[in-house]
Amino acid sequence: MRWPGRGARTTEAPPGVSGTARLGRRGERGTGPAYLRRLGPGDVAVIDQVDLDRSTATALLEAGVVGVVNAAPSISGRYPNLGPEILVEAGVVLVDDCGPGVFSDLSDGATIRLHDGAVHVGDREVLRGFAQDRDTVADLLDEARGGMSAQLEAFSANTSEFLGRERGLLVDGLGVPAIATTMRDRHVVVVAGGSGTLAELRSIAGYLREYKPVLVGVGDGAGALREAGHTPAVVLGTVAELDPGLARRADDVVVPADTDGHIAGLARLQDLGVDPVAFASSANPEDMALLLAHAHGASLVVAVGFDASLGGFLDRGRSGSIPSTFLTRLRLGTTLVDAPAVRALHRTRGSATVLALLLASVLVAAVVAAVALGAGPSLLQLVGSAGGAVEAWVVDVYRSVIG
């Protein structure tokens, strides 16, 4: 007689979490929209991002990743960034500070296993980093809170230095390249790359349909525009960031250059049929786009995918870019608004319109009812007077809402 299970081997699953490795771009901020769209449930995101920010962490969770392998420190101590805390609280395994070897030792699409700070391929340990958990993240965030004062001191010094270097650009618009796209007295929407960019674009779809603004895509922001169903008139970014297809379809391609006007990788772009114009500045590309729109006479500039908070500036991983962003926003002043404000105002204006139509329908129904009931001229005159008063009130409310 053969007993159930006799002779069968029981194999225990190896410890840790296994998933499919999805490699981002090596280098700073390798977690743009194109990479995040590649992620799916059960994947392990392999990234290189100092100070993992909240928006990226949220996007990783929404994609359903089971683990994150970061070549860089997810908390450097510059400021208390919330991305790592969001991940570990949700149960995502975070193996931190593994070094640049992740991009040579791991293959995109390979099955990897994360356990106790180590990265395994099959039975072999190929990498080792630091396993973050709730306690380690809490300790690092406490230390990072003390780093904010140092960041603010550096901000003050860097702002003076940047202003001295870019005074002509910020004050007089010197160095802004000529472009074929007409922006004078028009609305211009500048779209930066980020995990929340596509959602912001969709939230202002009504505004985009109504005003038909000039669209400027910065780096991965151009791809977000395409995914939302739009074609940017202007694309701006480094040669590595630009999508050749979008660049060929754009009216203008603007590429950051050094102080001598030299564009790194220019020959590559020209081989692809793209002839860009150089923008010589030490400002970051997002701010170059804002200054470009302002210098060419835009009546309103809408920023999509930008985080104007101090934490947002630091989240970019380039502390030296903070003076650029601060002084650029100061230069544009009231010409610049962010997408959430446009969404709120456009929605409010739509609500006022709906209210006016609703009240008009009520008045029409009142007149029809009065006629049906055989009302005399005096009652109809009263209804008409009431309608005029309500109409005036609706106009006043509508004007107050839209300014």
Side-chain angles (χ1 to χ4, degrees):
M1 180 177 180
R2 182 179 179 87
W3 296 98
R6 178 174 293 182
R9 293 183 178 180
T10 57
T11 303
E12 293 185 3
V17 171
S18 297
T20 304
R22 299 297 180 195
L23 275 62
R25 287 199 307 267
R26 180 174 177 176
E28 189 175 280
R29 294 291 294 181
T31 51
Y35 171 70
L36 293 170
R37 287 194 294 270
R38 291 176 50 216
L39 297 172
D43 286 345
V44 175
V46 182
I47 63 175
D48 183 6
Q49 184 172 332
V50 177
D51 292 327
L52 187 61
D53 60 276
R54 176 172 50 189
S55 63
T56 299
T58 301
L60 292 171
L61 284 184
E62 291 174 349
V65 301
V66 295
V68 174
V69 176
N70 196 351
S74 294
I75 304 177
S76 71
R78 295 184 307 125
Y79 76 106
N81 56 304
L82 300 180
E85 183 177 47
I86 290 172
L87 291 178
V88 298
E89 287 291 339
V92 174
V93 176
L94 175 58
V95 180
D96 210 19
D97 202 8
C98 295
V102 296
F103 297 97
S104 56
D105 294 337
L106 298 178
S107 300
D108 193 76
T111 299
I112 62 176
R113 178 170 58 90
L114 313 180
H115 175 61
D116 198 22
V119 182
H120 300 264
V121 176
D123 296 328
R124 183 169 58 94
E125 178 182 313
V126 295
L127 288 167
R128 179 165 286 277
F130 179 72
Q132 296 281 17
D133 57 29
R134 288 183 176 88
D135 293 335
T136 60
V137 167
D139 291 342
L140 288 171
L141 288 179
D142 284 340
E143 295 177 9
R145 289 184 179 93
M148 281 296 293
S149 59
Q151 288 295 310
L152 292 174
E153 290 176 8
F155 165 72
S156 177
N158 291 338
T159 299
S160 298
E161 180 184 345
F162 183 83
L163 182 58
R165 187 170 60 247
E166 300 287 359
R167 183 183 302 274
L169 171 64
L170 292 169
V171 176
D172 300 315
L174 298 179
V176 175
I179 57 175
T181 302
T182 301
M183 295 182 174
R184 181 159 300 281
D185 299 326
R186 295 188 63 187
H187 289 199
V188 176
V189 174
V190 177
V191 183
S195 58
T197 297
L198 189 57
E200 279 197 10
L201 273 174
R202 288 170 174 163
S203 74
I204 60 169
Y207 161 79
L208 295 175
R209 285 193 300 270
E210 181 175 349
Y211 285 90
K212 296 179 173 54
V214 177
L215 301 177
V216 180
V218 184
D220 289 329
L225 277 166
R226 176 179 57 191
E227 188 166 348
H230 306 286
T231 300
V234 181
V235 294
L236 189 152
T238 64
V239 173
E241 292 174 327
L242 293 178
D243 180 295
L246 281 173
R248 283 192 291 267
R249 294 174 62 188
D251 296 325
D252 293 283
V253 179
V254 183
V255 178
D258 60 23
T259 53
D260 296 325
H262 176 260
I263 298 175
L266 175 61
R268 177 189 165 199
L269 272 184
Q270 291 175 334
D271 288 343
L272 295 171
V274 178
D275 190 18
V277 296
F279 194 157
S281 172
S282 60
N284 63 58
E286 296 92 339
D287 298 331
M288 287 185 185
L290 297 177
L291 291 167
L292 181 77
H294 186 263
H296 284 281
S299 59
L300 183 73
V301 181
V302 179
V304 178
F306 290 67
D307 186 346
S309 67
L310 180 60
F313 296 159
L314 294 170
D315 271 346
R316 298 181 185 187
R318 304 184 299 264
S319 59
S321 74
I322 304 174
S324 166
T325 301
F326 172 75
L327 292 172
T328 296
R329 285 182 168 266
L330 194 63
R331 179 70 182 96
L332 268 69
T334 56
T335 306
L336 176 64
V337 296
D338 290 290
V342 171
R343 178 182 68 242
L345 291 174
H346 200 265
R347 182 185 299 157
T348 302
R349 192 184 72 170
S351 299
T353 304
V354 171
L355 177 62
L357 292 173
L358 178 62
L359 289 173
S361 66
V362 170
L363 288 172
V364 169
V367 171
V368 171
V371 172
L373 292 172
S378 59
L379 181 55
L380 289 174
Q381 185 177 6
L382 178 61
V383 171
S385 299
V390 171
E391 179 185 4
W393 175 76
V394 169
V395 169
D396 289 340
V397 170
Y398 184 81
R399 288 174 175 169
S400 68
V401 168
I402 66 172

